[in-house]
Amino acid sequence: ETHGITFRIQVSVKELLDTDVLLKLLFHLPVNYPSTLPDISVNSDQLTRAQCMEVKDKLLEQAKKHLSEPMVHDLILWIQQHLKYVIKQSATVCNEKPTLSKGTSTEDGIWMLLLHLDHMRAKAKYVKTVEKWTSDLGLTGRLMFMGKIILILLQGDRSNIKEYLILQKTSKVDVDSSGKKCKEKMISVLFETKVQSQHKRFQMFEVKEYSTLDELQKEFETAGLATLFSEFVPPLLK
């Protein structure tokens, strides 16, 4: 009732050189859809990140033409028919305007997000799901356990971090006290900012457990996040 509906669709498109391109489309329909545009995520093992972003932009352009009317089916039909042209156009732009292309793809820069989870009942499944999401979205960082504290620190494109948050809040990622699958309702965003020069860039996403608060603090300090740690982590112990 508060988050709307999220669903995934896989579309196989016969593309250039007669090879199949598998598009993984994620649609998040807000509560007041179709009066409000859906959030759309595009991933494909056969396309580059820039091409996926181009497909997403074109789908959102088409979505605006269908505002106030159901549109998902029309959007899927449209991309099946036009994918080859979108990809060709994307390649042409990259070849003709490398400076502009580079600028637009990084206009938001690399962002960082710190999340706090209250608990994980189905820990193994939950961790596996988080690892898959970060991999699919090209995010790096840490899933950190220290006593009862559970933190997720993410770095990556701002748009992909937003998509991660949609997944985190709308997917049935854990189980409730009766063992029934449930959405994550007890999550808080502690911190969100653009990565600065003093911040270390994580090369991968890792799951780590710490036996003491000092160990956890050193992880943050190594990443140039000592201030972030002191402001947000110790209060979680109270």
Side-chain angles (χ1 to χ4, degrees), residues 132-148:
K132 183 181 187 307
W133 288 343
T134 55
S135 175
D136 289 346
L137 294 169
L139 302 176
T140 61
R142 300 283 187 269
L143 170 53
M144 300 175 282
F145 296 92
M146 201 290 295
K148 293 184 177 181

Side-chain angles (χ1 to χ4, degrees), residues 69-171:
E69 61 186 55
M71 64 184 77
V72 173
H73 184 250
D74 290 327
L75 294 178
I76 292 170
L77 291 178
W78 186 88
I79 198 59
Q80 285 179 308
Q81 297 167 1
H82 295 84
L83 179 62
K84 66 173 70 176
Y85 306 110
V86 173
I87 292 176
K88 283 182 179 179
Q89 185 180 24
S90 174
T92 302
V93 170
C94 288
N95 289 335
E96 292 181 356
K97 302 177 182 179
T99 303
L100 175 62
S101 174
K102 182 178 179 182
T104 54
S105 64
T106 59
E107 60 181 357
D108 277 339
I110 302 301
W111 279 69
M112 179 167 54
L113 177 74
L114 181 63
L115 302 173
H116 173 242
L117 301 181
D118 185 74
H119 61 270
M120 283 186 184
R121 286 195 174 94
K123 183 176 178 180
K125 178 181 177 295
Y126 204 132
V127 169
K128 188 174 181 180
T129 301
V130 171
E131 288 179 319
K132 183 181 187 307
W133 288 343
T134 55
S135 175
D136 289 346
L137 294 169
L139 302 176
T140 61
R142 300 283 187 269
L143 170 53
M144 300 175 282
F145 296 92
M146 201 290 295
K148 293 184 177 181
I149 293 178
I150 307 171
L151 300 170
I152 301 178
L153 181 62
L154 299 174
Q155 290 181 347
D157 292 341
R158 193 176 190 185
S159 60
N160 289 343
I161 284 181
K162 288 181 178 179
E163 287 170 20
Y164 177 91
L165 267 177
I166 291 173
L167 287 169
Q168 180 79 63
K169 293 179 178 179
T170 60
S171 302

